[in-house]
Amino acid sequence: MAFYFSTPSHTFSEYLLVPGYSSIKCTPDNVSLKTPIVKFKKGEEPSLTMNIPLTSAVMQSVSDDKMAIALAKEGGISFIYGSQTIENQSAMVAKVKSHKAGFVVSDSNLTPDHTLEDVLELKRFSGHSTMPITDDGTSNGKLVGIVTSRDYRVSRMSRDVKVSEFMTPLSSLIYANKDITLKEANNIIWDNKLNSLPVVDDEGRLMYIVFRKDYESNKENTLELLDSSKRYVVGAGINTRDFEERVPALVEAGADVLCIDSSEGFSEWQKITIDYIREKYGDTVKVGAGNVVDKEAFLYLAEAGADFIKVGIGGGSICITREQKGIGRGQASSIIEVAAARDEYFEKTGVYIPICSDGGIVYDHHITLALAMGSDFVMLGRYFSRFDESPTNKVNINGSYMKEYWGEGSARARNWQRYDLGGDKKLSFEEGVDSYVPYAGPLKDNVMMTLSKVRSTMCNCGALTIPELQKNAKLTLVSSTSIVEGGAHDVVLKDNRNL
């Protein structure tokens, strides 16, 4: 006879946190969000931690090298997507590890033969007013000039005029060579009252731009996540098919932690993958596994040697696994059971295995709920896909800016390797959709706002650390009526746009 869980599965929106006693020390600026990402033994320190409990999902539309750098600056980790060639993924990892803080690779470039109309269109699309002009229009072409908003007047110039006629040419530019330090670059900027400083290699090819406006922000990245060599920490996704070729390449590129990307992780394929990594690298290469939704599956991956375990099936905004296959579980119920199994395993073995809540996060407060229920960190797709740093196009839909967002189980991703079907079999139906999400601007501003809410709620619960929140939090199920009560109701909202 089939096994039946005795209670319905619940989602985050069905829970609220009940405030606890908070002392005068419970202020948001005293809250630490530091959290382990890999397993460790009782009494020892984890070998890899994050300064904020956020990771970006192993997805084509979310995590590339640009996202990884931006998130590492804030203290989190991106897992660069594995549904691409091994060479391309390894190159992205290498870019993150070689990135110099404050040195920006330009993504708004034109050639001298482009026109003012092209400049205006690129500015509308990227929001950038500084545009390096290179011989081939790429980010590493030979630098021939630069265009800023000071170089043209739209009302006085033809849209057809070529960039070569109004750009500031290389002969009039102050620029630096590749060996310059950030401190030296900033000194040049301030001494010469510049807004930006191009950095070129020995052949005159553009490498980076250092911006005046980034000077203060670079100083403010107090939570940035760095390895022992002061390089940004980065993760990478792998699958259970080509791991024997992919893992060595990613390790060579410098990946700090790997994650098996699969729609469902209670599988021998995952154990085989972990066994390979342990046999070849021992415990020096860290790898997470999943996804699971109950105690039995957690224990399987724990015994298989996973360094962290992802929890959640079917809860993602672009995931249609539940409606296509009828498998999954409410995210809150999954986290609660797996967290209890994790704690029991820790008591029994002395080994603490962090768990990651993957999916089901709709609102910022769901992150706090996930942490209170036992998650050590969360993995987010839709959340990060909305930002400037995600690798997808920003498009105008009916007057509103949107970002493209698609699932790894969609036909667009064609990532059938994540479905453990054995041999060369491929999935014959989709488990993800292709969609748009509202554009939200830069990652830094949004993450700052989200985490300010998390810290504030933790203070309401009398917790200054994530372990304290997990230990002391009080949660209550809510009825459908109280969910309605929790929002604005019985009032006529003002249209503040006209104020």
Side-chain angles (χ1 to χ4, degrees):
M1 178 179 176
F3 174 80
Y4 291 87
F5 286 89
S6 59
T7 58
S9 66
H10 297 286
T11 66
F12 292 133
S13 289
E14 296 176 81
Y15 283 91
L16 287 175
L17 282 158
V18 176
Y21 168 75
S22 56
S23 71
I24 59 173
K25 294 181 179 180
C26 284
T27 58
D29 57 334
N30 284 333
V31 171
S32 169
L33 295 177
K34 188 172 183 177
T35 192
I37 193 171
V38 297
K39 66 184 179 184
F40 58 95
K41 293 181 179 179
K42 189 173 183 178
E44 297 180 357
E45 291 295 320
S47 60
L48 183 59
T49 60
M50 294 188 294
N51 293 324
I52 63 173
L54 306 182
T55 61
S56 67
V58 191
M59 299 176 69
Q60 294 174 6
S61 56
V62 179
S63 298
D64 64 354
D65 52 293
K66 187 176 180 182
M67 175 64 71
I69 291 168
L71 186 50
K73 286 181 179 180
E74 303 308 314
I77 296 178
S78 284
F79 285 90
I80 292 178
Y81 69 94
S83 50
Q84 58 179 320
T85 66
I86 295 172
E87 292 75 18
N88 286 349
Q89 187 186 22
S90 300
M92 286 187 181
V93 170
K95 282 183 181 179
V96 179
K97 301 307 290 187
S98 63
H99 180 81
K100 298 168 68 177
F103 291 79
V104 178
V105 176
S106 174
D107 59 0
S108 296
N109 311 284
L110 294 171
T111 69
D113 290 329
H114 278 100
T115 65
L116 176 58
E117 180 61 35
D118 296 319
V119 170
L120 298 176
E121 179 59 28
L122 183 55
K123 184 177 180 179
R124 282 193 293 269
F125 177 77
S126 68
H128 300 155
S129 58
T130 298
M131 300 174 190
I133 310 303
T134 59
D135 61 345
D136 58 3
T138 67
S139 61
N140 62 349
K142 286 192 174 183
L143 184 67
V144 296
I146 201 164
V147 168
T148 71
S149 55
R150 295 180 299 181
D151 293 314
Y152 57 87
R153 291 292 181 268
V154 176
S155 60
R156 299 182 181 181
M157 296 170 61
S158 167
R159 300 293 181 96
D160 295 330
V161 63
K162 287 190 175 183
V163 166
S164 59
E165 297 184 34
F166 61 88
M167 71 180 185
T168 301
L170 183 64
S171 59
S172 299
L173 282 178
I174 296 176
Y175 56 93
N177 65 43
K178 63 181 181 180
D179 297 322
I180 195 169
T181 66
L182 183 59
K183 182 177 180 179
E184 291 169 339
N186 282 317
N187 286 338
I188 293 174
I189 287 173
W190 286 93
D191 291 345
N192 294 276
K193 299 181 180 180
L194 304 174
N195 288 323
S196 62
L197 179 70
V199 178
V200 300
D201 64 14
D202 294 336
E203 298 178 350
R205 294 186 176 278
L206 180 65
M207 297 181 66
Y208 311 105
I209 301 181
V210 180
F211 289 97
R212 181 190 187 99
K213 65 180 178 62
D214 287 340
Y215 176 72
E216 290 300 328
S217 64
N218 289 332
K219 289 172 60 178
E220 292 171 2
N221 292 330
T222 57
L223 295 177
E224 64 182 357
L225 196 59
L226 305 173
D227 65 16
S228 58
S229 300
K230 305 299 182 183
R231 302 174 301 173
Y232 287 128
V233 173
V234 61
I238 61 174
N239 62 65
T240 58
R241 290 291 175 270
D242 64 7
F243 57 87
E244 292 187 11
E245 296 78 33
R246 190 173 295 270
V247 170
L250 294 173
V251 172
E252 177 68 23
D256 298 279
V257 57
L258 306 176
C259 179
I260 302 174
D261 177 36
S262 176
S263 63
E264 196 277 304
F266 195 1
S267 161
E268 187 178 3
W269 297 106
Q270 298 226 348
K271 184 180 184 303
I272 291 171
T273 304
I274 296 171
D275 285 346
Y276 164 80
I277 293 173
R278 294 291 173 253
E279 290 170 6
K280 186 173 180 64
Y281 300 101
D283 292 327
T284 60
V285 172
K286 307 302 181 182
V287 57
N291 288 21
V292 303
V293 294
D294 65 1
K295 175 181 179 179
E296 185 181 7
F298 167 85
L299 292 175
Y300 176 80
L301 292 180
E303 291 298 324
D307 286 296
F308 69 86
I309 295 174
K310 288 201 299 171
V311 182
I313 295 176
S317 61
I318 40 70
C319 182
I320 54 174
T321 294
R322 295 180 190 176
E323 69 178 63
Q324 288 282 62
K325 298 173 65 176
I327 65 169
R329 194 181 188 189
Q331 189 68 4
S333 295
S334 300
I335 293 296
I336 291 169
E337 179 173 333
V338 173
R342 184 266 321 278
D343 293 344
E344 183 181 328
Y345 187 84
F346 180 50
E347 285 295 319
K348 180 180 178 181
T349 66
V351 176
Y352 186 93
I353 303 177
I355 62 173
C356 166
S357 178
D358 178 20
I361 302 291
V362 181
Y363 305 108
D364 288 347
H365 75 270
H366 287 174
I367 296 173
T368 319
L369 285 168
L371 297 173
M373 291 173 180
S375 297
D376 296 280
F377 57 98
V378 300
M379 179 171 280
L380 304 165
R382 180 194 60 84
Y383 177 86
F384 286 112
S385 71
R386 304 170 300 146
F387 302 151
D388 287 324
E389 294 82 0
S390 74
T392 63
N393 294 322
K394 182 172 74 173
V395 296
N396 192 313
I397 305 294
N398 297 325
S400 298
Y401 279 112
M402 312 287 281
K403 292 276 283 186
E404 294 180 304
Y405 179 46
W406 61 92
E408 289 298 293
S410 68
R412 180 171 182 174
R414 304 189 66 80
N415 185 15
W416 310 135
Q417 295 94 331
R418 72 194 304 267
Y419 299 94
D420 298 320
L421 303 176
D424 296 323
K425 295 179 181 178
K426 295 182 179 181
L427 200 68
S428 57
F429 54 88
E430 290 184 285
E431 290 191 37
V433 299
D434 196 349
S435 65
Y436 298 105
V437 290
Y439 167 67
L443 178 146
K444 184 179 183 66
D445 294 346
N446 285 274
V447 166
M448 187 181 301
M449 177 60 71
T450 294
L451 295 182
S452 70
K453 297 177 185 178
V454 173
R455 292 186 178 98
S456 180
T457 305
M458 288 175 62
C459 288
N460 294 140
C461 297
L464 292 177
T465 66
I466 292 174
E468 283 183 11
L469 179 67
Q470 294 169 342
K471 179 181 178 181
N472 300 327
K474 296 182 290 185
L475 295 112
T476 180
L477 274 168
V478 296
S479 67
S480 57
T481 304
S482 62
I483 292 175
V484 174
E485 180 186 60
H489 60 89
D490 301 316
V491 295
V492 177
L493 297 178
K494 293 180 179 180
D495 187 352
N496 292 322
R497 291 171 298 178
N498 297 323
L499 296 180

